[in-house]
Amino acid sequence: GAVVSQHPSWVICKSGTSVKIECRSLDFQATTMFWYRQFPKQSLMLMATSNEGSKATYEQGVEKDKFLINHASLTLSTLTVTSAHPEDSSFYICSAATSSYNEQFFGPGTRLTVL
Amino acid sequence: TQLLEQSPQFLSIQEGENLTVYCNSSSVFSSLQWYRQEPGEGPVLLVTVVTGGEVKKLKRLTFQFGDARKDSSLHITAAQPGDTGLYLCAGAGTGAGSYQLTFGKGTKLSVIP
């Protein structure tokens, strides 16, 4: 149980285009979903916290107009990187939280490369 | 702001050796999770500890939560090459927004055959 999927697993795009990443909890309903960014050889950096049906809460320094988050249901959250630039290239990981002990279950990640 | 200090940052050991990874904080956590991450993949939850002083075992891995719920350790006995990976500790807060996790910087473990 507690499986989270992410799609796509990798994407290459041109500078200036927008990219959408989907995060789904497959066998449970997630009260909250999170989006992280991870640079090589570093730990996870929380970008935003998302609750179904409400606006996402962004961490300091994360541009909400650039990283659009939509949490349409208890099993789906999407992250759209708008007008992507090479500095947005990174490994993006989502997680879904259950209510028990605040455990988070992570998706497999999406490698974004902006040319 | 809660901080979680994880050490060591890098660890390279021979197969069969024992090792311990530490996570320390001045903050109290309602629970603490340990994850393992392979390159190019998302972290996989290994264990959650909730009660102060709690000890959990997962085969050759032993996890301990400090009595005051401010620190935790991961001990691996007779490490195997398959244990290689990035180990992350993450603490859940006790107040509003407690769904958020505070992550340590990770311990990159390499077990040499």
Side-chain angles (χ1 to χ4, degrees):
Chain A
V3 179
V4 177
S5 70
Q6 229 176 295
H7 178 80
S9 56
W10 59 270
V11 57
I12 301 172
C13 69
K14 292 183 178 179
S15 185
T17 60
S18 294
V19 174
K20 180 186 283 189
I21 303 170
E22 288 188 352
C23 178
R24 293 179 184 271
S25 57
L26 298 184
D27 52 0
F28 68 102
Q29 291 186 329
T31 49
T32 308
M33 287 185 168
F34 302 85
W35 287 94
Y36 295 85
R37 186 171 178 177
Q38 186 176 34
F39 292 103
K41 299 181 181 180
Q42 293 188 22
S43 188
L44 282 72
M45 183 187 78
L46 179 66
M47 297 175 67
T49 301
S50 165
N51 291 293
E52 183 260 342
S54 61
K55 289 184 178 180
T57 302
Y58 290 81
E59 294 300 300
Q60 193 172 7
V62 178
E63 299 175 58
K64 58 181 67 176
D65 293 330
K66 181 168 187 60
F67 297 99
L68 301 178
I69 292 173
N70 184 283
H71 197 150
S73 73
L74 285 171
T75 60
L76 173 64
S77 177
T78 60
L79 168 68
T80 301
V81 183
T82 63
S83 188
H85 288 97
E87 57 265 30
D88 298 325
S89 298
S90 191
F91 193 52
Y92 292 88
I93 311 175
C94 72
S95 71
T98 67
S99 57
S100 24
Y101 308 126
N102 302 324
E103 291 175 335
Q104 290 185 25
F105 297 93
F106 286 83
T110 297
R111 171 72 58 192
L112 170 63
T113 302
V114 184
L115 302 176
Chain B
T1 303
Q2 294 181 310
L3 293 175
L4 202 49
E5 299 287 338
Q6 188 172 344
S7 63
Q9 192 174 353
F10 299 97
L11 194 53
S12 181
I13 61 172
Q14 292 291 130
E15 181 177 358
E17 292 183 349
N18 302 332
L19 66 112
T20 303
V21 178
Y22 299 93
C23 274
N24 296 292
S25 177
S26 58
S27 303
V28 176
F29 295 104
S30 60
S31 66
L32 195 136
Q33 283 87 44
W34 284 92
Y35 294 85
R36 183 174 140 207
Q37 186 180 21
E38 304 274 0
E41 299 180 11
V44 174
L45 180 65
L46 296 175
V47 79
T48 299
V49 284
V50 180
T51 307
E54 183 177 6
V55 177
K56 281 192 174 179
K57 291 192 175 184
L58 188 65
K59 296 183 180 178
R60 293 176 293 100
L61 279 60
T62 301
F63 305 86
Q64 186 164 8
F65 203 12
D67 291 340
R69 291 185 290 138
K70 294 182 179 180
D71 54 85
S72 181
S73 64
L74 157 62
H75 182 79
I76 301 179
T77 303
Q80 304 293 311
D83 296 328
T84 294
L86 179 68
Y87 289 82
L88 296 161
C89 62
T94 57
S98 60
Y99 279 128
Q100 288 190 357
L101 293 178
T102 299
F103 277 87
K105 291 191 174 183
T107 296
K108 186 168 173 58
L109 172 64
S110 297
V111 182
I112 303 165

